[in-house]
Amino acid sequence: MTLRAIVTGGGQGIGAEIVRGLVSAGYWVGILDRNTAAAESLATELGSSEVLPVDVSDHLAVASAIESFGELDLLVNNAGIVRFGPLLDQSADDIASVIGVNLIGTINCAQSAAQLMAAQNGGVIINMSSVNAVHPAPNVGIYAATKAAITSLTQLQALEWGPLGIRVNAVAPGFIDAGMSAPIFLDDKVRAKRSGGVPLKRLGTAEDVVQAVLFLASNAASYIHGHELVVDGGVIQSVLAHLPRS
Amino acid sequence: MAARLRGDKKFLGHDIVKGQSYLVTGGGSGIGEATAEQLVALGARVTICGRRAEKINAVAARLGDRCLAVTADVTHVKDRADVFRQAMAHGGGLNGLVNNAGNMYRAPIADFNQDRLLDIFNQNVISGMMLSQLAVPALAARQGAIIFLGSIHTRRAFPGAAPYAATKAALQTLTQVMAAELGDQNIRVNCVIPGAVKTEINERAGLGSTEDSATRMTALAPLHALGRIGQPMEVAEAIVFLLQSKWTTGALLDVDGGLGLGLTPL
Ligand SMILES: NC(=O)c1ccc[n+]([C@@H]2O[C@H](COP(=O)([O-])OP(=O)(O)OC[C@H]3O[C@@H](n4cnc5c(N)ncnc54)[C@H](O)[C@@H]3O)[C@@H](O)[C@H]2O)c1
């Protein structure tokens, strides 16, 4: 039987690599993304997938897209945005947008997915958090607070949805040389400084995150529930981690 | 609708373990035995050690040639050197050290006994620190990994279990400092934090008969968000993940069915 997954923000960045990993592990994947063009071209390239052209912050659109996807074994709540800059300079729009995608979007998708899964005897949900949820770095705006909220949400979902047969965990990536932070690392100086602050002395790859997601999705993780798995080369263990971006 | 399969057991990293060499202390029963079994099943060479020769020999006999049993007490300097040397010879090097050997000492504060406290810290903490020290050069040569076993006792307070809880908290902190310190030698250090898993440790602690200990464990089931206690193999799978995961270090991985969340059934 083919397993069925939805990856939000699956059109590009880390999400696209998660889609790739799931397709090669034999899943049929719904690529849920508001960037329809990116999602379409990935689906065409990979096959075994379909596009759900939705904005995660739109409650009704999410509900109908996920419901019509039908049987669902796995939701990867990956869509996320960041507006870098000092907290003092964050505009009302920055704040509302980041909360709308990262927090409300995560809740929207998880609720719809959990309803389907509960009716189908269970499933797995993986929420994408960040090391910023554990130790916020300067100049990430409201992003860190939304990620900390995802940590708490993951725990609550585990408590309430565990009895429905839904296993819920989070993955907290560190400095990843892909997706939203790739532009930061184009600067060689920043790159050297920040990778030097990681105990394993390198930036992470999207593949490092994919591996953690595939593990938590699999039955090998059947007793892991309500956990936030940090995948960061040890950066949050090191005081050297709190280095400025520039 | 029929229950659907939730993910294939195989994840990417399973292939990486093949042909590699691991040392699992306390491999004669429980989580250590399950870890050795899973590593051997995935094609690794594994050395297990323990104090009771008949126990570990039986495990090695069951797992076949790729598993070597060495009778050793990891609190003894000479035994540690011996088991490390044999693991290196059996596996042709070392990719991972699983510091799994441990014991339970429970006592209310009024009954603390200094000798027993020193002994439990020696068994649970210092033996793993010293064995890690021995293994670091070999692990550095292979971009290897060290695993410690923490406990749910650091997430929830169990009155009467302070000595055991304190040793496990020490291991969790040790994990984080060692991860930061050994990163530039490309050695990863991680810790799994199991919830209620039925093994011999509780029986050996004198918590009553096998049935008593089973009853106590079963009573914990409703406190888990998943509504059940765990199997040793479920913890072993998490250990295997951490052994091969290339960018996870300093992580404290809860494998507890949601027990650490603090669910109070109404
Ligand atoms: N890159 C890193 O270093 C890093 C570190 C920690 C955590 N993360 C997290 O990983 C996740 C993926 O990030 P990324 O780096 O791949 O970012 P990215 O910007 O490359 O990709 C995000 C994807 O989400 C989609 N998306 C954004 N808003 C959406 C919305 N409202 N509705 C539907 N789709 C939407 C985008 O179109 C894009 O395809 C995010 O949750 C992010 O917070 C990334």
Side-chain angles (χ1 to χ4, degrees):
Chain A
M1 181 172 36
T2 305
L3 293 165
R4 293 167 60 83
I6 290 177
V7 180
T8 74
Q12 71 172 55
I14 296 172
E17 295 311 307
I18 295 172
V19 172
R20 229 176 261 285
L22 289 171
V23 165
S24 53
Y27 283 76
W28 177 272
V29 184
I31 309 173
L32 191 156
D33 206 302
R34 67 181 173 191
N35 183 343
T36 314
E40 293 286 3
S41 84
L42 187 64
T44 310
E45 181 200 328
L46 297 180
S48 299
S49 54
E50 66 188 78
V51 175
L52 283 56
V54 179
D55 186 321
V56 291
S57 61
D58 182 338
H59 186 85
L60 289 177
V62 164
S64 93
I66 292 186
E67 201 192 319
S68 46
F69 186 75
E71 289 179 6
L72 183 61
D73 301 282
L74 169 68
L75 168 71
V76 185
N77 249 325
N78 161 82
I81 60 172
V82 60
R83 300 275 170 89
F84 291 118
L87 200 50
L88 275 177
D89 298 348
Q90 295 271 302
S91 70
D93 173 66
D94 290 335
I95 294 169
S97 303
V98 173
I99 292 177
V101 177
N102 296 8
L103 182 52
I104 298 178
T106 298
I107 297 171
N108 285 342
C109 297
Q111 258 187 341
S112 294
Q115 263 151 15
L116 268 187
M117 289 171 176
Q120 296 167 6
N121 294 326
V124 175
I125 296 178
I126 299 172
N127 295 321
M128 201 60 76
S129 172
S130 163
V131 288
N132 276 287
V134 190
H135 292 299
N139 299 323
V140 295
I142 198 71
Y143 178 81
T146 62
K147 293 297 181 177
I150 288 175
T151 308
S152 167
L153 196 62
T154 302
Q155 294 173 351
L156 182 65
Q157 291 170 342
L159 283 169
E160 291 197 8
W161 298 346
L164 306 177
I166 303 171
R167 209 156 51 70
V168 189
N169 291 289
V171 173
F175 302 165
I176 306 291
D177 190 13
M180 60 170 64
S181 47
I184 300 168
F185 300 121
L186 291 177
D187 179 332
D188 283 343
K189 274 207 202 105
V190 176
R191 194 181 178 83
K193 206 166 175 187
R194 281 175 85 85
S195 43
V198 179
L200 289 182
K201 302 295 172 207
R202 68 169 174 91
L203 301 172
T205 62
E207 187 55 40
D208 290 317
V209 180
V210 174
Q211 225 187 30
V213 169
L214 286 176
F215 166 64
L216 288 174
S218 79
N219 278 341
S222 56
Y223 201 52
I224 302 181
H225 187 53
H227 181 75
E228 178 163 283
L229 177 56
V230 176
V231 183
D232 73 338
V235 80
I236 59 168
Q237 310 306 343
S238 169
V239 283
L240 300 175
H242 298 272
L243 298 170
R245 284 200 166 64
S246 52
Chain B
M1 188 181 304
R4 291 172 61 82
L5 185 73
R6 284 185 281 288
D8 193 271
K9 187 147 192 157
K10 187 167 167 2
F11 61 99
L12 284 183
H14 270 162
D15 306 332
I16 301 173
V17 168
K18 194 170 178 187
Q20 301 206 330
S21 163
Y22 298 96
L23 169 55
V24 181
T25 68
S29 63
I31 292 167
E33 179 182 3
T35 303
E37 179 177 340
Q38 181 65 349
L39 288 169
V40 167
L42 294 170
R45 296 181 73 79
V46 180
T47 303
I48 58 173
C49 73
R51 292 168 300 183
R52 296 164 298 170
E54 68 296 354
K55 270 264 166 200
I56 57 160
N57 288 336
V59 171
R62 182 168 72 77
L63 298 185
D65 284 353
R66 285 207 299 272
C67 181
L68 171 71
V70 179
T71 308
D73 180 336
V74 287
T75 62
H76 294 167
V77 182
K78 250 188 82 225
D79 284 17
R80 283 197 298 265
D82 181 47
V83 81
F84 173 68
R85 189 179 44 76
Q86 296 211 41
M88 290 291 286
H90 176 64
L94 196 66
N95 296 86
L97 166 62
V98 183
N99 284 306
N100 163 79
N103 271 299
M104 172 76 87
Y105 166 41
R106 297 166 62 100
I109 295 163
D111 296 348
F112 282 177
N113 171 297
Q114 175 156 326
D115 289 339
R116 292 202 64 186
L117 286 172
L118 288 169
D119 188 44
I120 197 71
F121 270 86
N122 197 21
Q123 290 182 46
N124 287 6
V125 184
I126 297 171
S127 63
M129 291 173 90
M130 298 311 290
L131 193 54
S132 299
Q133 182 190 55
L134 267 186
V136 157
L139 292 173
R142 293 274 185 99
Q143 304 196 357
I146 297 174
I147 306 286
F148 289 103
L149 274 284
S151 167
I152 187 67
H153 283 80
T154 67
R155 300 293 199 220
R156 298 286 139 201
F158 292 77
Y164 178 74
T167 63
K168 292 299 179 175
L171 292 176
Q172 291 172 205
T173 298
L174 188 64
T175 298
Q176 296 178 309
V177 180
M178 282 178 52
E181 203 172 311
L182 294 175
D184 60 4
Q185 296 182 56
N186 239 309
I187 297 174
R188 290 162 294 110
V189 186
N190 292 293
C191 180
V192 293
I193 303 184
V197 179
K198 202 180 128 25
T199 68
E200 279 184 10
I201 196 168
N202 294 300
E203 292 162 38
R204 278 205 313 278
L207 291 182
S209 64
T210 311
E211 294 88 73
D212 286 353
S213 124
T215 314
R216 287 174 63 102
M217 294 298 273
T218 317
L220 286 172
L223 299 177
H224 293 69
L226 290 182
R228 65 174 177 88
I229 64 169
Q231 301 296 324
M233 188 52 87
E234 293 180 296
V235 181
E237 289 277 20
I239 292 172
V240 172
F241 168 73
L242 290 172
L243 284 171
Q244 54 71 42
S245 164
K246 287 288 168 239
W247 212 49
T248 304
T249 191
L252 307 177
L253 175 53
D254 299 275
V255 187
D256 68 354
L259 179 59
L261 297 169
L263 177 65
T264 309
L266 297 172

